[in-house]
């Protein structure tokens, strides 16, 4: 995993300093369809960072796995394969990568997932506040809120129980059945 953790392109961590995930990540974010109130603030800096991070995932997938991520919803299956390979390396590593190292990949692949959803279904990147914690996420036009960086992080650390293809399918299903946002 360590070699995989050092192969993201150099531009993968730029302009997003203000949009980076907080130091204490909630490890079990609420379900996307949870009715517990949160606050969401659309943020163009988070959008800009997500675009750069998503491009890093495209480049990493090509370089490390010879996969082409083309921005389509079908490519989410390729993301699942890539994250599965990252998990396998993580699980086999004698010395586990740090959370910051794992989060580098979670930001890239999570941003890719978010960007595919945003372009296909309509959503805004921003900052979600939940139980006193603030982290980057998206709000769909229907009001659905989700946080793909955290899901990608969990996929790398925990494995198949956090399957990204299933996650994306549940997002699109939940989004399709969600009522229109009030704002």
């Amino acid at each position: 995993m360590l070699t995989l953790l050092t192969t993201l392109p150099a531009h993968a961590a730029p302009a997003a300093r203000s949009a980076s995930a907080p130091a204490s990540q909630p490890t079990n974010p609420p379900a996307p369809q949870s009715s517990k109130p949160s606050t969401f603030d659309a943020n163009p800096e988070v959008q800009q960072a997500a675009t750069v991070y998503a491009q890093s995932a495209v480049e990493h997938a090509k370089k490390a796995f010879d996969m082409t991520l083309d921005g389509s919803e079908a490519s989410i299956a390729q993301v699942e394969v890539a994250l599965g390979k990252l998990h396998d390396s993580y699980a086999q590593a004698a010395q586990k990568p740090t959370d910051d190292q794992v989060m580098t990949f979670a930001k890239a692949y999570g941003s890719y997932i978010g960007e595919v959803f945003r372009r296909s279904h309509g959503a805004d990147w921003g900052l979600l506040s939940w139980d006193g914690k603030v982290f980057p996420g998206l709000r769909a036009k229907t009001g659905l809120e989700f946080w793909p960086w955290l899901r990608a992080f969990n996929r790398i650390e925990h494995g198949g129980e956090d399957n990204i293809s299933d996650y994306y399918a549940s997002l699109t299903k939940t989004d399709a059945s969600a009522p229109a946002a009030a704002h």
Side-chain angles (χ1 to χ4, degrees):
M1 177 83 162
L2 271 346
T3 49
L4 293 177
L5 284 174
T6 59
T7 59
L8 274 180
H11 69 272
R17 296 257 186 255
S18 64
S20 26
S24 65
Q25 292 292 322
T27 55
N28 295 309
Q33 64 275 17
S34 175
S35 61
K36 186 173 182 181
S38 69
T39 61
F40 177 84
D41 293 311
N43 185 313
E45 290 178 17
V46 176
Q47 170 61 61
Q48 192 173 30
T51 300
V52 172
Y53 288 140
Q55 183 58 40
S56 295
V58 170
E59 293 170 16
H60 179 261
K62 185 65 172 170
K63 182 178 177 181
F65 307 123
D66 196 28
M67 291 179 184
T68 300
L69 300 181
D70 62 6
S72 69
E73 290 188 294
S75 71
I76 297 298
Q78 290 289 81
V79 172
E80 170 56 26
V81 171
L83 291 176
K85 290 178 182 212
L86 288 170
H87 167 74
D88 291 345
S89 292
Y90 176 88
Q92 295 169 7
Q95 181 178 355
K96 297 291 185 231
T98 66
D99 284 354
D100 287 343
Q101 289 173 312
V102 174
M103 185 52 77
T104 298
F105 288 86
K107 286 177 185 177
Y109 284 96
S111 291
Y112 181 84
I113 295 161
E115 281 295 282
V116 169
F117 185 94
R118 183 184 69 79
R119 291 176 183 160
S120 299
H121 300 276
D124 293 310
W125 281 96
L127 296 173
L128 287 156
S129 299
W130 199 282
D131 269 350
K133 297 175 179 114
V134 178
F135 45 94
L138 293 103
R139 176 179 276 171
K141 300 297 181 207
T142 60
L144 172 70
E145 295 174 347
F146 58 103
W147 23 94
W149 290 8
L150 295 175
R151 186 56 176 249
F153 183 92
N154 288 342
R155 176 60 178 98
I156 294 168
E157 274 203 345
H158 303 144
E161 70 190 58
D162 289 300
N163 182 291
I164 292 300
S165 295
D166 293 345
Y167 172 69
Y168 192 84
S170 74
L171 290 174
T172 59
K173 182 179 178 183
T174 301
D175 183 58
S177 64
H183 48 99

